[in-house]
Amino acid sequence: MTTPDVPPSGFSWVQADRAAALWTVRRKYVPQVASAHGVATQERKGYGTLGTNTCTVYSHAEVQRLAAALESGEVVLDPSWRADTEEGVRGARRDALTTCCCVVLLLAAVIAIAVLSS
């Protein structure tokens, strides 16, 4: 078992990337894992030049609790959600391929519109 990851003082919330790393799950499944296992969340708003954005943060203590439960085998997740299983790696590749195809189709549409309008 690894030693618990102790947050710096005043640091009680982690972002989804950190939770995904501790749970060894694919980033897109962090909200489902957190919801299914009672991890407290909080919405944080950020203000910038382009407007307001919102991100979800997760309770560090509860992320650690779930990480320990996953490591001990007390909690088992769907293999396709995990980042360290064959099913999860296949799913990540499929998601990346889908994203690439969408970008290519979008570019083809933009080029077609440009050619047809001239």
Side-chain angles (χ1 to χ4, degrees):
M1 182 176 241
T2 59
T3 58
D5 189 19
V6 179
S9 65
F11 182 72
S12 59
W13 298 93
V14 295
Q15 292 187 352
D17 292 337
R18 181 74 179 133
L22 289 170
W23 296 337
T24 319
V25 298
R26 294 171 49 206
R27 165 67 179 83
K28 76 184 250 181
Y29 292 111
V30 169
Q32 290 94 321
V33 172
S35 176
H37 298 285
V39 175
T41 62
Q42 187 178 75
E43 295 294 318
R44 295 270 171 100
K45 287 189 178 189
Y47 303 96
T49 56
L50 299 177
T52 304
N53 65 1
T54 305
C55 74
T56 303
V57 290
Y58 302 86
S59 166
H60 186 272
E62 293 178 24
V63 166
Q64 285 296 107
R65 172 190 55 80
L66 183 54
L70 287 165
E71 191 171 315
S72 71
E74 181 183 333
V75 172
V76 178
L77 299 176
D78 183 325
S80 66
W81 290 10
R82 297 191 55 90
D84 59 351
T85 62
E86 188 176 323
E87 294 92 339
V89 171
R90 264 197 316 263
R93 281 191 206 126
R94 186 175 47 249
D95 291 349
L97 182 60
T98 301
T99 301
C100 288
C101 289
C102 288
V103 169
V104 168
L105 287 173
L106 180 63
L107 288 173
V110 168
I111 290 169
I113 290 170
V115 168
L116 293 173
S117 67
S118 57

